[in-house]
Amino acid sequence: MNDSPGWASPGSSPSDGERPGAPSDQQASGDSKWSAEQPPPGDWSSPAAGPTPPPQAPPQQGQGWGPYGGQQHAGPYGSPYGGQYGYPGGPGQWGKPPAAKPGVIPLRPLDMGEILDGAVATMRAHWRSVLPITLVVATVVQVMSVLLQKYVMSDLALAADPAADIEQTINTLGTASAVSFGAVFIQALGGIVATAMLTMIFSRAVLGNTSTVSAAWREARPQLLRLFGLTLLMGFGFALLVVVLIVPGILARSVGLAVLGGFAALPLAIWLWTKYSLASPALMLEKGTVFKSLGRSSKLVKGAWWRIFGITLLTSIITGIIAAIIVWPLTFLGVALFGGGMGGLQAGTASTAWGALILSGIGAIIAQTIVMPMQSGVTVLLYVDQRIRREGLDLELARAAGVENYGTTGG
């Protein structure tokens, strides 16, 4: 069964192999606020709220946070998105009640501003959980990066010295390559851990719940190995794309063929990157396998590729500008104070001076601490938004958040 309190509490995923509506282990033990005798989907009002409203149509598929956990239905306003909210800005919405907002986002289809605002609001409201995760990961990554630049760059300069013999050059290049691979591996591993834990924190923030670092780790840990496999598979796919389309031109010593392969690889890589951009939150929150998560991302993105690409691209631009504003002044200051200024840049010593490297690393730590949760938050909220639009997930979110009479005309 799903073990995540944030996303599994409404019910089990169909992929869990249990019947919809069956009580979970937490319900049986009394840990959950939902009793084992829950009303069927559609009868979600509190027992103290008065007479039970007329039953609604049962969901077409299972309930919960797994695939198609919400009801496929049209709300009272004729919305195909589910819930009680029609298409944002659509006709006939003058008497529409305000959207329920138990957490950082309203429970209805979101626009771009609401997604960005939800990511920032979570960082601000849950900084005690978000900040330690990103700060630790960014610090480890940047320490490795500083050591890499300090020692590997010097070794590469030594290997390029014409006076060095062949054996020394090969040994130096081998050592530099091993260190570089280790640094990249640690950076990828740190990013995976941060992404997994931040996904759990954002999933709780949608419901208006808080999460500690230890709780986020407990919820994310069972899926870490699969998330690592997903990341490795996607990286291998992009590398294979480059090998197939660009390397033949390089081997043939044809600049034109290599450039043509690059022009073909770039749009294809962007298309695949967007198509599978929601695989990570799908993997973490639906507790599925790597290939099921890729399939879920593909289905959720279908028909909304340009919208998701635009929001993700805008987020990358915003976070890139924020990072540049923080990193570049400290980098220039380090070069001026410790790297010998323009003379050091011309001599090539500025990039290996300890003072310049440390100041640049501090800037990068601050930037990553801010940028990393924003990027992860936008991805998670895009996943939630697509499921609200496609599967009526707002009903399950409202139920998990304890919103009474949600989805009824009187709500």
Side-chain angles (χ1 to χ4, degrees):
M1 293 184 62
N2 292 337
D3 298 321
S4 168
W7 289 82
S9 57
S12 301
S13 165
S15 62
D16 294 330
E18 298 187 13
R19 62 179 178 84
S24 66
D25 295 337
Q26 288 185 342
Q27 293 167 349
S29 63
D31 293 338
S32 174
K33 68 178 181 179
W34 298 100
S35 67
E37 298 179 356
Q38 297 184 39
D43 298 338
W44 294 341
S45 61
S46 170
T52 302
Q56 299 180 2
Q60 295 180 1
Q61 302 200 35
Q63 58 179 326
W65 297 92
Y68 310 104
Q71 300 184 30
Q72 301 282 358
H73 68 289
Y77 293 92
S79 168
Y81 301 126
Q84 56 177 322
Y85 306 102
Y87 183 83
Q93 303 298 310
W94 294 105
K96 182 177 67 175
K101 190 178 180 181
V104 294
I105 59 170
L107 300 184
R108 56 168 168 75
L110 306 174
D111 58 33
M112 180 176 64
E114 289 170 330
I115 290 175
L116 294 173
D117 180 70
V120 175
T122 303
M123 294 167 56
R124 185 172 60 247
H126 303 276
W127 64 270
R128 290 180 180 85
S129 301
V130 172
L131 183 62
I133 296 172
T134 56
L135 182 60
V136 170
V137 171
T139 300
V140 172
V141 168
Q142 288 307 312
V143 166
M144 291 301 302
S145 178
V146 167
L147 294 176
L148 175 67
Q149 294 180 61
K150 176 63 179 178
Y151 295 108
V152 176
M153 292 298 182
S154 300
D155 289 344
L156 290 177
L158 177 63
D161 187 356
D165 57 37
I166 296 178
E167 183 178 356
Q168 182 181 9
T169 300
I170 293 175
N171 291 336
T172 303
L173 289 175
T175 303
S177 299
V179 173
S180 299
F181 178 79
V184 171
F185 178 79
I186 291 176
Q187 291 179 15
L189 189 61
I192 290 170
V193 173
T195 299
M197 296 178 67
L198 290 173
T199 298
M200 297 305 174
I201 293 174
F202 274 91
S203 71
R204 284 181 171 271
V206 169
L207 301 176
N209 300 329
T210 58
S211 179
T212 62
V213 175
S214 59
W217 169 250
R218 287 195 305 270
E219 297 166 21
R221 185 174 55 188
Q223 291 293 99
L224 279 177
L225 188 59
R226 288 179 175 176
L227 183 60
F228 179 78
L230 174 65
T231 305
L232 189 64
L233 180 62
M234 294 183 68
F236 177 77
F238 287 119
L240 183 62
L241 186 66
V242 171
V243 169
V244 171
L245 295 178
I246 299 179
V247 171
I250 298 176
L251 295 177
R253 297 182 179 180
S254 172
V255 177
L257 184 60
V259 171
L260 182 62
F263 278 117
L266 180 61
L268 185 57
I270 293 175
W271 177 74
L272 290 173
W273 168 65
T274 305
K275 180 182 178 70
Y276 297 117
S277 60
L278 304 184
S280 175
L283 177 75
M284 297 303 302
L285 300 177
E286 296 180 14
K287 310 296 183 183
T289 63
V290 171
F291 290 102
K292 281 185 178 180
S293 301
L294 291 171
R296 284 288 288 151
S297 178
S298 178
K299 291 179 181 178
L300 291 173
V301 173
K302 185 177 181 181
W305 189 95
W306 283 107
R307 178 175 179 272
I308 293 174
F309 169 74
I311 294 175
T312 307
L313 179 62
L314 179 61
T315 303
S316 299
I317 294 174
I318 292 174
T319 54
I321 293 174
I322 293 174
I325 291 174
I326 298 172
V327 172
W328 284 111
L330 289 176
T331 301
F332 290 144
L333 182 62
V335 170
L337 295 179
F338 305 102
M342 294 301 299
L345 289 174
Q346 293 176 357
T349 59
S351 61
T352 57
W354 274 117
L357 288 173
I358 291 175
L359 276 180
S360 177
I362 291 174
I365 290 173
I366 298 173
Q368 287 187 5
T369 301
I370 297 173
V371 164
M372 197 183 303
M374 186 173 181
Q375 293 174 329
S376 298
V378 168
T379 302
V380 173
L381 295 182
L382 276 172
Y383 164 83
V384 174
D385 176 59
Q386 285 303 110
R387 289 201 60 186
I388 289 176
R389 292 171 180 268
R390 298 290 179 85
E391 302 165 7
L393 186 62
D394 54 332
L395 296 179
E396 297 297 331
L397 290 170
R399 182 185 180 190
V403 179
E404 298 182 359
N405 300 323
Y406 184 88
T408 65
T409 55

